[in-house]
Amino acid sequence: MIKGWKELPIGGVIIEPGSSEKYDTGEWRAWRPVFDSSKCVHCMMCWIFCPDSSILVKEEKMVGIDYDHCKGCGICAHECPTNALEMKPEYLFREED
Amino acid sequence: MIEIRWHARGGQGAVTASKILASAVIEEGKYAQSNPDYGAERSGAPLRAYNRVSEKPITLHCMVLNPDIVVIVDPTLLKAVPFLEGTDENAILVINTDKTPNEIREKYKIEGRKIYTVDATKIAMEELKRSLMNIPMLGALIKVLNGLVDIKTVEEDIKKTFGKKVSENVLSANIRALYRAYEEVKGE
Amino acid sequence: MRPELIKEVTYVPYSGNMAAAEAMRQINPDVVAAYPITPQTELMQCFADFVANGLVDSEYIPVESEHSAMSACVGAAAAGSRAMTATAGPGLAYMWEVLGIASGMRLPIVMTVVNRALSAPINIHGDQSDMMGARDQGWIMLFSENAEEQYDNLIQVIRIAEDERTRLPVMIGMDGFVISHAIERVRLLPDKAVEEFVGELKPMYSLLDVDNPVAHGAVAMTDSYMEFKRQQREAMMNAYKVIREVGKAFEEAFGKKYEHIEAYKTEDADYILVVTGSAAGTAKYVVDKLREEKGIKVGIIKIRTFRPFPYYDVMDAIEASNCKAIGILDRAETFGGASGPLFEEVATAQHLRRKYYPMTGFIYGLGGRDTNVHHIEEAIDKVMKLAAGEEVPLVNYLNLKE
Amino acid sequence: MAQIKTAEIKVPPLKKLTNYPEKLVPGHRLCAGCGASIIIRQMYMVASALGYELIIANATGCVEVCTTIYPYNAWKSPWIHNAFENAAATISGAEAAYKALKRKGKLPTDKKVKFVALGGDGGTYDIGFQSLSGALERGHDFIYVCYDNEAYMNTGIQRSSATPKYANTTTQPVGSESFGKPQTKKWMPEVVAAHGIPYVAQVAPSHWKDFMEKFKKALLTEGPSFINAFSVCPRGWRSKEEEGILVTKLAVETNYWPLFEVENGKWRITYRPKNPKPLEEFLKLQGRFKHLFKPENKHLIDELQAEVDRRWERLNRMENLTREE
């Protein structure tokens, strides 16, 4: 993953902005926010309070969750005024090996 | 190389005089050092400053131990400090005093060495109206250095050093004091 | 536009501090962040005067501490600007944490260190404990013998620091008071020539490049930290070449030679003293005196570059002489070490060549203690005894009250 | 001091803000439910909407450690970390470089850039206090944002001068002889305001409109601004992750964390709870105050309530004292 010392940019500089998107924090999740778009009024309360920039918005409409990164804190569901988001145990969704 | 040691009290301008001497010598294309002996002393405390003057580059970076010339800016220091320290019989003393070289020799029982005196305090009081004896003592020293550095160069350097900081009157009083001491200094 | 002050080579009566400030004026860095400390204060005041009179275009930050001085330099250098500062003794000690950050982030900051003793007891005078204490913080380190060398070195190190092969910060030491406050003859170069010599900084990964945002000072875990440290070693090895190249360029431009070391009358020397800083000048005087008066053949190796340490240059000079014994003068202690830090380096140099000479160390000049002609003579006398097979201690003190 | 003309510049409505790209992207490793990243996202929402690029100097701390673990970078704007105690000095240098290079014509002139120093309460109230004070006094053009989570959370909940009285921390734990931290919280905004800088504000991300209005003012302020942001730490406070915004709201509604600003020396409370809730409601959601709810410790809660009331009163007095006649 990390290259040898001759290949790395000097000084520990990270030259790629936003490279953390490649790092999945979705694995951390024990609870999953499940989105019911029929109940959503697109008030954006979930979006403005999400600590992980994981509420997906398109053309000013809430469209879903970035499950690669959502850590499942549950703030979105807690702050949702219309119950369009509900926290469910993650194991219900994980494929079994 | 000529080594010079200045004895003065803090606030009397000896460090400035030693810097002006070095500057003037360097202006003339020769080599010089001016090195104050810094401590934590404040105004009034005895202090020493040093000069080295030479036709050739100077690489020494230590205190002057065996001065060829000792300049005593404040006459009260004659009793207070060992001004002969490190000097030999050939050393030259340039002393601010109203006494003659002979009187000084007898009073302080100085053997050998050549003594010059000048009443720099009187010159300072008359010209500068203050007991700032550094510039007159520099004038006397230039005379004793006997052509090693031109007093005109020193005059220019004083103008450069003081020019921005003091009034025209004070500056010209300093220049007068410089020349008066240069003329009035007496040797044995 | 700032005025051109010096149009041709000029000789001036300057203190070391004034010479360093003058070099900074001519270099005209983008940012200067500094905190006054004896004996550096005069330097900072001179530079502040240039700022106050429009003689530099620099942004000047009168910070509230040395820690912030170096921190601001890191911010400024990461922002792609040329950043400079100056400090002394305890100020350098206070910067210590950020010194390693500056070098680890590969920022070409340039700093004058007016060498001063460290407390306690508190002492404002010259010794090299400050820089020697910071000697493994990844900075290129030079020592100047006198005011003119400090001036010349400052002009050279801008290029050394900013070279793409190095990109390392540089500190240059001059002894406190003895050099910083003494007036000497200094040769100044024309403003234009200096400007041309130092050239323009090529920013790398500038923080101000908002179109290509980068992150400086990231966390490197166990999987990458060591690689970055290895890069720093490489940069320091490159610096060895770059310092020499820039020294040659300086000689071509201005006719004065600068090498990693100055070997003074070592070719035929039976005895060699290794020394750095202002005492090298006094030692040269003693060498001439002893040769003239007593026919004793002594030579001096003056260390100009301390990091990267010029092991091969030192050994080349020793091996080319008739050396029978070496004395190493250290203006810093290594409590619990064999002798001083310079002693250790010279011992390493010998090991690298598998050539061993009798050597003895001298601790001198701590806290501004005067080291005069007699003391250097005393050291040479001990080295001669060592060469004659007599027993001489590993560490000796010059001008110490026993 | 220059009056800040902010009325005509408006923060767009919430929905419009969603059109700007995120500058703090996911994949950072802050805890689930962290308040700090909410604060940073809200900062960027305003900055992006008003066309500002932020250049960030981040003090060592949770945000710094979690957002730039090599080679992962959660930032899409220029970012620098130097050390724990020197974010303000670092931004001083960067801002000075910007001025110098701009003056020398070495930078594009069409960009709106704002320098931001970002630190937790450790890097701000404590170890970074000197460098912050220096940078404020020198008047650099920057915003200092403190995400105050009331202890050294990065290293495991050690007390800071921002830790409230009687909170349980690992360096002043609750024990048979201890109720937790015996000292009261340093009131940082007042200390900062004493520097006479143009703009100081206290914010909470739960009250995001108030937050954005204040961050807008800071952006438009020439010279230093200071923003003290309430930053929930579920792990350190032992509160529920999903209740982070609730806890934050209660901090405001109980007057524990009043929302106010000091603009050119004038103090103004920007939000007045209609019926302030008892402090207890804020405390009871957090495990760090659990010991206070033993019956025999009721007097401690009363004491804390009295302190909140005293500070609220003082804030009102400051407002009256500095109100324009």
Side-chain angles (χ1 to χ4, degrees), chain C residues 224-297:
Chain C
S224 60
Y225 180 85
M226 211 158 153
E227 281 67 28
F228 294 118
K229 295 296 123 183
R230 177 65 184 84
Q231 287 181 337
Q232 278 179 256
R233 170 172 282 271
E234 196 70 7
M236 198 55 102
M237 285 154 77
N238 292 341
Y240 179 81
K241 284 173 252 165
V242 175
I243 293 166
R244 180 168 281 167
E245 283 172 21
V246 174
K248 284 218 173 79
F250 189 85
E251 188 186 1
E252 278 161 28
F254 306 119
K256 195 169 164 194
K257 195 172 178 175
Y258 279 95
E259 267 289 355
H260 289 297
I261 65 166
E262 182 189 339
Y264 185 78
K265 302 195 177 172
T266 52
E267 299 86 351
D268 64 342
D270 295 320
Y271 317 101
I272 287 177
L273 288 187
V274 184
V275 60
T276 184
S278 65
T282 309
K284 286 179 199 166
Y285 178 91
V286 175
V287 163
D288 292 348
K289 187 165 170 268
L290 289 181
R291 280 174 177 264
E292 194 185 310
E293 290 174 4
K294 296 182 181 167
I296 300 170
K297 289 180 181 168

Coordinates of all heavy atoms in Angstrom, one line a residue, chain C residues 224-297:
Chain C
S224 N 4.7 4.1 7.9 CA 5.3 5.1 6.9 C 6.3 6.0 7.6 O 7.2 6.6 6.9 CB 4.2 5.9 6.2 OG 3.5 6.7 7.2
Y225 N 6.3 6.2 8.9 CA 7.2 7.1 9.6 C 8.6 6.9 9.2 O 9.4 7.8 8.8 CB 7.0 7.1 11.1 CG 7.8 8.0 11.9 CD1 7.4 9.3 12.1 CD2 9.1 7.6 12.4 CE1 8.2 10.2 12.8 CE2 9.9 8.5 13.1 CZ 9.4 9.8 13.3 OH 10.2 10.7 14.0
M226 N 9.1 5.7 9.2 CA 10.5 5.4 9.0 C 10.9 5.7 7.6 O 12.1 6.1 7.4 CB 10.7 3.9 9.3 CG 12.0 3.6 9.9 SD 12.0 2.0 10.7 CE 13.7 1.6 10.5
E227 N 10.0 5.6 6.7 CA 10.4 5.9 5.3 C 10.7 7.4 5.2 O 11.6 7.8 4.5 CB 9.3 5.6 4.3 CG 9.2 4.1 4.0 CD 8.9 3.2 5.1 OE1 8.2 3.6 6.1 OE2 9.3 2.0 5.1
F228 N 9.9 8.3 5.9 CA 10.2 9.7 5.8 C 11.5 10.1 6.5 O 12.2 11.0 6.1 CB 9.0 10.5 6.4 CG 7.7 10.3 5.6 CD1 6.6 9.7 6.2 CD2 7.7 10.7 4.3 CE1 5.5 9.6 5.4 CE2 6.6 10.6 3.5 CZ 5.4 10.0 4.1
K229 N 11.8 9.3 7.6 CA 13.1 9.6 8.2 C 14.3 9.2 7.3 O 15.3 9.9 7.3 CB 13.2 8.8 9.6 CG 12.1 9.3 10.6 CD 12.4 10.8 11.0 CE 11.2 11.6 10.8 NZ 11.4 13.1 11.1
R230 N 14.1 8.1 6.6 CA 15.1 7.7 5.7 C 15.3 8.7 4.6 O 16.5 9.0 4.2 CB 14.7 6.3 5.1 CG 15.7 5.8 4.0 CD 17.1 5.4 4.6 NE 18.0 5.0 3.6 CZ 18.8 5.9 2.9 NH1 18.6 7.2 3.1 NH2 19.6 5.4 2.0
Q231 N 14.2 9.3 4.1 CA 14.4 10.4 3.2 C 15.2 11.6 3.7 O 16.0 12.2 3.0 CB 13.0 11.0 2.8 CG 12.1 10.0 2.0 CD 10.8 10.7 1.7 OE1 10.3 11.6 2.4 NE2 10.1 10.3 0.6
Q232 N 15.0 11.8 5.0 CA 15.8 12.9 5.6 C 17.3 12.7 5.6 O 18.1 13.6 5.4 CB 15.3 13.2 7.0 CG 14.0 14.1 7.1 CD 13.5 14.3 8.5 OE1 12.6 13.7 8.9 NE2 14.2 15.2 9.2
R233 N 17.6 11.4 5.9 CA 19.0 11.1 5.8 C 19.6 11.3 4.4 O 20.7 11.8 4.2 CB 19.2 9.6 6.3 CG 20.6 9.1 6.0 CD 20.9 7.7 6.6 NE 21.1 7.8 8.1 CZ 22.3 8.0 8.6 NH1 23.4 8.1 7.9 NH2 22.4 8.1 9.9
E234 N 18.8 10.9 3.4 CA 19.2 11.1 2.1 C 19.4 12.5 1.7 O 20.4 12.9 1.1 CB 18.2 10.4 1.1 CG 18.7 10.2 -0.3 CD 19.7 9.1 -0.4 OE1 19.9 8.4 0.6 OE2 20.3 8.9 -1.5
A235 N 18.5 13.3 2.2 CA 18.6 14.8 1.9 C 19.8 15.4 2.5 O 20.5 16.2 2.0 CB 17.3 15.5 2.5
M236 N 20.1 14.9 3.7 CA 21.3 15.4 4.4 C 22.6 15.0 3.7 O 23.5 15.7 3.6 CB 21.3 14.8 5.9 CG 22.2 15.6 6.8 SD 21.9 17.4 6.9 CE 21.0 17.5 8.4
M237 N 22.6 13.7 3.1 CA 23.7 13.3 2.3 C 23.8 14.1 1.1 O 24.9 14.5 0.7 CB 23.6 11.8 2.0 CG 23.9 10.9 3.2 SD 23.1 9.3 3.2 CE 24.2 8.4 2.1
N238 N 22.7 14.5 0.5 CA 22.7 15.3 -0.7 C 23.3 16.7 -0.3 O 24.0 17.4 -1.1 CB 21.3 15.5 -1.3 CG 20.8 14.2 -1.9 OD1 21.6 13.3 -2.2 ND2 19.5 14.2 -2.1
A239 N 22.9 17.2 0.9 CA 23.3 18.5 1.3 C 24.9 18.6 1.3 O 25.4 19.6 1.0 CB 22.8 18.8 2.7
Y240 N 25.5 17.5 1.6 CA 27.0 17.5 1.6 C 27.5 17.9 0.2 O 28.4 18.7 0.1 CB 27.5 16.0 1.9 CG 29.0 15.9 1.9 CD1 29.7 16.3 3.0 CD2 29.6 15.4 0.8 CE1 31.1 16.2 3.0 CE2 31.0 15.3 0.7 CZ 31.7 15.7 1.8 OH 33.1 15.6 1.8
K241 N 26.9 17.4 -0.8 CA 27.3 17.8 -2.2 C 26.8 19.2 -2.5 O 27.6 20.0 -3.1 CB 26.6 16.9 -3.2 CG 27.2 15.5 -3.3 CD 26.4 14.6 -4.3 CE 25.6 13.6 -3.5 NZ 24.5 12.9 -4.2
V242 N 25.6 19.6 -2.1 CA 25.1 20.9 -2.4 C 25.9 22.0 -1.8 O 26.1 23.0 -2.4 CB 23.6 20.9 -2.1 CG1 23.0 22.3 -2.3 CG2 22.8 19.9 -2.9
I243 N 26.2 21.8 -0.5 CA 27.0 22.8 0.2 C 28.3 23.1 -0.5 O 28.7 24.2 -0.7 CB 27.3 22.4 1.7 CG1 26.0 22.3 2.5 CG2 28.3 23.3 2.3 CD1 26.2 21.5 3.8
R244 N 28.9 22.0 -1.0 CA 30.2 22.1 -1.8 C 30.0 22.9 -3.1 O 30.7 23.8 -3.4 CB 30.8 20.8 -2.0 CG 32.1 20.8 -2.8 CD 32.7 19.4 -2.8 NE 33.4 19.2 -1.5 CZ 33.9 18.1 -1.1 NH1 33.7 17.0 -1.9 NH2 34.6 17.9 0.0
E245 N 28.9 22.5 -3.8 CA 28.6 23.2 -5.1 C 28.3 24.6 -4.9 O 28.8 25.5 -5.6 CB 27.3 22.5 -5.7 CG 27.6 21.2 -6.3 CD 26.2 20.5 -6.8 OE1 25.2 21.2 -6.9 OE2 26.2 19.3 -6.9
V246 N 27.5 25.0 -3.9 CA 27.2 26.4 -3.6 C 28.4 27.1 -3.2 O 28.6 28.3 -3.6 CB 26.0 26.5 -2.6 CG1 25.8 28.0 -2.3 CG2 24.8 25.9 -3.2
G247 N 29.3 26.5 -2.4 CA 30.6 27.1 -2.0 C 31.4 27.4 -3.3 O 32.0 28.5 -3.3
K248 N 31.4 26.5 -4.2 CA 32.2 26.8 -5.5 C 31.6 27.9 -6.3 O 32.3 28.8 -6.8 CB 32.2 25.5 -6.3 CG 33.1 24.4 -5.8 CD 33.8 23.7 -7.0 CE 34.9 22.8 -6.4 NZ 34.3 21.5 -5.9
A249 N 30.2 27.9 -6.3 CA 29.5 29.0 -7.1 C 29.8 30.3 -6.4 O 30.0 31.3 -7.1 CB 28.0 28.7 -7.1
F250 N 29.9 30.3 -5.1 CA 30.1 31.6 -4.4 C 31.5 32.0 -4.7 O 31.8 33.2 -4.9 CB 30.0 31.3 -2.8 CG 30.0 32.6 -2.0 CD1 28.9 33.3 -1.8 CD2 31.2 33.0 -1.4 CE1 28.9 34.5 -1.1 CE2 31.2 34.2 -0.7 CZ 30.1 34.9 -0.5
E251 N 32.5 31.1 -4.7 CA 33.9 31.4 -5.0 C 33.9 32.0 -6.5 O 34.6 33.1 -6.7 CB 34.8 30.2 -4.9 CG 36.2 30.6 -5.1 CD 37.1 29.3 -5.1 OE1 36.6 28.2 -5.0 OE2 38.4 29.5 -5.2
E252 N 33.2 31.4 -7.4 CA 33.3 31.9 -8.8 C 32.6 33.3 -8.8 O 33.1 34.2 -9.6 CB 32.5 31.0 -9.7 CG 33.3 29.8 -10.1 CD 32.5 28.6 -10.6 OE1 31.4 28.9 -11.1 OE2 32.9 27.5 -10.5
A253 N 31.6 33.5 -8.1 CA 30.9 34.8 -8.2 C 31.6 35.9 -7.4 O 31.7 37.0 -7.8 CB 29.5 34.7 -7.6
F254 N 32.2 35.5 -6.2 CA 32.7 36.6 -5.3 C 34.1 36.4 -4.9 O 34.6 37.1 -4.0 CB 31.8 36.7 -4.1 CG 30.3 36.9 -4.5 CD1 29.4 35.9 -4.1 CD2 29.9 38.0 -5.2 CE1 28.0 36.1 -4.4 CE2 28.6 38.2 -5.5 CZ 27.6 37.2 -5.2
G255 N 34.8 35.3 -5.4 CA 36.2 35.2 -5.2 C 36.6 34.8 -3.8 O 37.8 35.0 -3.4
K256 N 35.7 34.2 -3.0 CA 36.1 33.7 -1.7 C 35.7 32.3 -1.5 O 34.6 31.9 -1.8 CB 35.5 34.6 -0.6 CG 36.1 34.4 0.7 CD 35.6 35.5 1.6 CE 35.9 35.1 3.1 NZ 35.1 36.0 4.0
K257 N 36.7 31.5 -1.1 CA 36.4 30.0 -1.1 C 35.8 29.6 0.2 O 36.2 30.0 1.3 CB 37.8 29.3 -1.2 CG 37.7 27.9 -1.6 CD 39.1 27.4 -1.9 CE 39.1 25.9 -2.2 NZ 40.4 25.3 -2.6
Y258 N 34.8 28.7 0.1 CA 34.1 28.1 1.2 C 34.0 26.6 1.0 O 33.5 26.1 0.0 CB 32.7 28.7 1.5 CG 32.8 30.0 2.2 CD1 32.8 31.2 1.5 CD2 32.9 30.0 3.6 CE1 32.8 32.4 2.2 CE2 32.9 31.2 4.3 CZ 32.9 32.4 3.5 OH 33.0 33.6 4.2
E259 N 34.6 25.9 1.9 CA 34.5 24.4 1.9 C 33.9 23.9 3.2 O 33.5 24.7 4.1 CB 36.0 23.8 1.8 CG 36.5 23.6 0.4 CD 35.8 22.4 -0.3 OE1 35.0 21.7 0.4 OE2 36.0 22.2 -1.5
H260 N 33.7 22.6 3.3 CA 33.1 22.1 4.5 C 34.1 22.3 5.7 O 33.6 22.6 6.8 CB 32.9 20.5 4.4 CG 31.8 20.2 3.5 ND1 30.5 20.5 3.7 CD2 31.8 19.5 2.3 CE1 29.8 20.1 2.8 NE2 30.5 19.5 1.9
I261 N 35.4 22.2 5.4 CA 36.3 22.5 6.5 C 37.3 23.5 5.9 O 37.4 23.7 4.7 CB 37.1 21.3 7.0 CG1 37.9 20.7 5.8 CG2 36.1 20.2 7.5 CD1 39.0 19.7 6.3
E262 N 38.0 24.2 6.8 CA 39.2 24.9 6.4 C 40.4 24.3 7.0 O 40.5 24.2 8.3 CB 39.1 26.4 6.8 CG 40.2 27.3 6.4 CD 40.2 28.7 7.0 OE1 39.1 29.1 7.5 OE2 41.3 29.3 7.0
A263 N 41.3 23.8 6.2 CA 42.5 23.2 6.7 C 43.6 24.2 6.7 O 44.0 24.7 5.6 CB 42.9 22.0 5.9
Y264 N 44.0 24.7 7.9 CA 44.9 25.8 7.9 C 46.3 25.3 8.3 O 46.5 24.8 9.4 CB 44.5 26.8 9.0 CG 45.3 28.1 9.1 CD1 45.2 29.1 8.1 CD2 46.2 28.2 10.1 CE1 46.0 30.2 8.2 CE2 47.0 29.4 10.2 CZ 46.9 30.4 9.3 OH 47.6 31.5 9.3
K265 N 47.2 25.3 7.4 CA 48.6 24.9 7.5 C 48.7 23.4 8.1 O 49.5 23.1 9.0 CB 49.4 25.9 8.5 CG 49.3 27.3 7.9 CD 50.3 28.2 8.5 CE 50.2 29.6 7.8 NZ 51.0 30.6 8.4
T266 N 47.9 22.6 7.6 CA 47.9 21.2 8.0 C 48.9 20.3 7.2 O 49.3 19.3 7.6 CB 46.5 20.5 7.9 OG1 46.0 20.7 6.6 CG2 45.5 21.1 8.9
E267 N 49.2 20.8 6.0 CA 49.9 19.9 5.0 C 51.2 19.3 5.7 O 51.4 18.1 5.5 CB 50.4 20.7 3.8 CG 49.2 21.2 2.9 CD 48.8 22.6 3.4 OE1 49.2 23.1 4.5 OE2 47.9 23.2 2.7
D268 N 51.9 20.2 6.4 CA 53.2 19.7 7.0 C 53.1 19.6 8.5 O 54.1 19.5 9.2 CB 54.3 20.6 6.6 CG 54.2 22.0 7.2 OD1 53.0 22.3 7.6 OD2 55.1 22.8 7.3
A269 N 51.8 19.6 9.0 CA 51.7 19.7 10.4 C 52.0 18.4 11.1 O 51.6 17.3 10.7 CB 50.3 20.2 10.8
D270 N 52.7 18.5 12.3 CA 52.9 17.3 13.1 C 51.7 17.2 14.1 O 51.5 16.1 14.6 CB 54.2 17.5 13.9 CG 55.4 17.5 13.0 OD1 55.4 16.7 12.0 OD2 56.3 18.3 13.2
Y271 N 51.1 18.3 14.4 CA 50.0 18.3 15.4 C 48.8 19.0 14.8 O 49.0 20.1 14.1 CB 50.4 18.9 16.7 CG 51.8 18.5 17.1 CD1 52.9 19.4 16.9 CD2 52.0 17.3 17.7 CE1 54.2 19.0 17.2 CE2 53.3 16.9 18.0 CZ 54.4 17.7 17.8 OH 55.6 17.3 18.1
I272 N 47.6 18.6 15.1 CA 46.4 19.2 14.5 C 45.4 19.5 15.6 O 45.1 18.6 16.5 CB 45.8 18.3 13.4 CG1 46.7 18.4 12.2 CG2 44.4 18.8 13.0 CD1 46.2 17.6 11.0
L273 N 44.9 20.7 15.6 CA 43.7 21.0 16.4 C 42.5 21.1 15.6 O 42.5 21.7 14.5 CB 43.9 22.4 17.1 CG 45.0 22.6 18.2 CD1 44.9 24.0 18.8 CD2 44.8 21.5 19.3
V274 N 41.4 20.5 16.0 CA 40.1 20.6 15.4 C 39.2 21.5 16.2 O 39.1 21.4 17.4 CB 39.5 19.2 15.2 CG1 38.2 19.4 14.4 CG2 40.4 18.3 14.5
V275 N 38.7 22.5 15.5 CA 37.9 23.6 16.3 C 36.9 24.1 15.4 O 36.9 24.1 14.1 CB 38.9 24.6 16.8 CG1 39.7 25.3 15.6 CG2 38.2 25.7 17.7
T276 N 35.8 24.7 16.0 CA 34.8 25.4 15.2 C 34.5 26.8 15.8 O 34.7 27.0 17.0 CB 33.6 24.5 15.1 OG1 32.6 25.2 14.2 CG2 32.9 24.2 16.4
G277 N 34.0 27.7 15.0 CA 33.6 29.0 15.5 C 34.8 30.0 15.6 O 35.8 29.8 15.0
S278 N 34.6 31.0 16.5 CA 35.5 32.1 16.6 C 36.9 31.7 17.1 O 37.9 32.3 16.7 CB 34.9 33.2 17.4 OG 34.8 32.8 18.8
A279 N 36.9 30.6 17.9 CA 38.2 30.2 18.5 C 39.2 29.7 17.4 O 40.4 29.7 17.6 CB 38.0 29.1 19.5
A280 N 38.6 29.3 16.2 CA 39.5 28.9 15.1 C 40.4 30.1 14.7 O 41.6 29.8 14.4 CB 38.6 28.5 13.9
G281 N 39.9 31.3 14.8 CA 40.7 32.4 14.4 C 41.9 32.6 15.4 O 43.0 32.8 15.0
T282 N 41.5 32.5 16.7 CA 42.6 32.6 17.7 C 43.6 31.5 17.5 O 44.8 31.7 17.6 CB 42.0 32.6 19.1 OG1 40.9 33.5 19.2 CG2 43.0 32.9 20.2
A283 N 43.1 30.3 17.2 CA 44.0 29.2 17.0 C 45.0 29.4 15.8 O 46.2 29.0 15.8 CB 43.2 27.9 16.8
K284 N 44.4 30.0 14.7 CA 45.3 30.3 13.6 C 46.4 31.2 14.0 O 47.6 31.0 13.5 CB 44.5 30.9 12.5 CG 43.5 30.0 11.7 CD 42.8 30.8 10.7 CE 41.5 30.1 10.2 NZ 40.6 31.0 9.5
Y285 N 46.1 32.2 14.8 CA 47.1 33.1 15.2 C 48.2 32.4 16.0 O 49.4 32.6 15.8 CB 46.4 34.2 16.1 CG 47.4 35.2 16.7 CD1 47.6 36.4 16.0 CD2 48.0 35.0 18.0 CE1 48.5 37.4 16.6 CE2 48.8 36.0 18.5 CZ 49.1 37.1 17.8 OH 49.9 38.1 18.3
V286 N 47.8 31.5 16.8 CA 48.8 30.7 17.6 C 49.6 29.8 16.8 O 50.8 29.7 17.0 CB 48.0 29.9 18.7 CG1 49.0 29.0 19.5 CG2 47.3 30.8 19.7
V287 N 49.0 29.2 15.7 CA 49.7 28.4 14.8 C 50.9 29.2 14.2 O 52.0 28.8 14.1 CB 48.8 27.8 13.7 CG1 49.6 27.3 12.5 CG2 47.9 26.7 14.3
D288 N 50.5 30.4 13.7 CA 51.6 31.2 13.1 C 52.7 31.6 14.0 O 53.8 31.6 13.7 CB 50.9 32.5 12.5 CG 50.0 32.3 11.4 OD1 50.0 31.2 10.8 OD2 49.2 33.2 11.0
K289 N 52.3 31.9 15.3 CA 53.2 32.3 16.3 C 54.2 31.2 16.6 O 55.4 31.3 16.7 CB 52.4 32.7 17.5 CG 53.2 33.3 18.7 CD 52.3 34.0 19.7 CE 53.0 34.4 20.9 NZ 52.9 33.4 22.0
L290 N 53.6 30.0 16.9 CA 54.4 28.8 17.2 C 55.4 28.4 16.1 O 56.5 28.0 16.3 CB 53.6 27.6 17.7 CG 52.9 27.8 19.0 CD1 52.1 26.5 19.3 CD2 53.8 28.1 20.1
R291 N 54.9 28.5 14.9 CA 55.7 28.2 13.8 C 56.9 29.1 13.6 O 58.0 28.7 13.4 CB 54.9 28.2 12.5 CG 54.1 26.9 12.3 CD 53.2 27.0 11.1 NE 52.5 25.7 10.9 CZ 52.9 24.8 10.0 NH1 53.9 24.9 9.3 NH2 52.2 23.6 9.9
E292 N 56.6 30.4 13.8 CA 57.6 31.5 13.7 C 58.6 31.5 14.9 O 59.8 31.5 14.7 CB 56.9 32.8 13.6 CG 57.8 34.0 13.1 CD 57.0 35.3 13.1 OE1 55.9 35.4 12.6 OE2 57.6 36.2 13.7
E293 N 58.0 31.4 16.1 CA 58.9 31.5 17.2 C 59.6 30.2 17.6 O 60.7 30.3 18.1 CB 58.1 32.0 18.4 CG 57.6 33.5 18.3 CD 56.7 33.9 19.4 OE1 56.4 33.1 20.3 OE2 56.2 35.0 19.3
K294 N 58.9 29.1 17.5 CA 59.5 27.9 18.0 C 59.7 26.8 17.0 O 60.1 25.7 17.3 CB 58.7 27.3 19.2 CG 58.6 28.3 20.3 CD 57.8 27.7 21.5 CE 57.8 28.6 22.7 NZ 56.8 28.2 23.7
G295 N 59.2 27.1 15.8 CA 59.3 26.1 14.7 C 58.4 24.8 14.9 O 58.7 23.8 14.3
I296 N 57.4 25.0 15.8 CA 56.5 23.9 16.0 C 55.5 23.8 14.9 O 54.8 24.9 14.6 CB 55.8 24.0 17.4 CG1 56.9 24.0 18.5 CG2 54.8 22.9 17.6 CD1 56.3 24.3 19.8
K297 N 55.4 22.7 14.2 CA 54.4 22.6 13.1 C 53.1 22.2 13.5 O 52.8 21.0 13.7 CB 55.0 21.7 12.0 CG 56.2 22.3 11.3 CD 56.8 21.4 10.3 CE 58.0 22.0 9.6 NZ 58.7 21.0 8.8

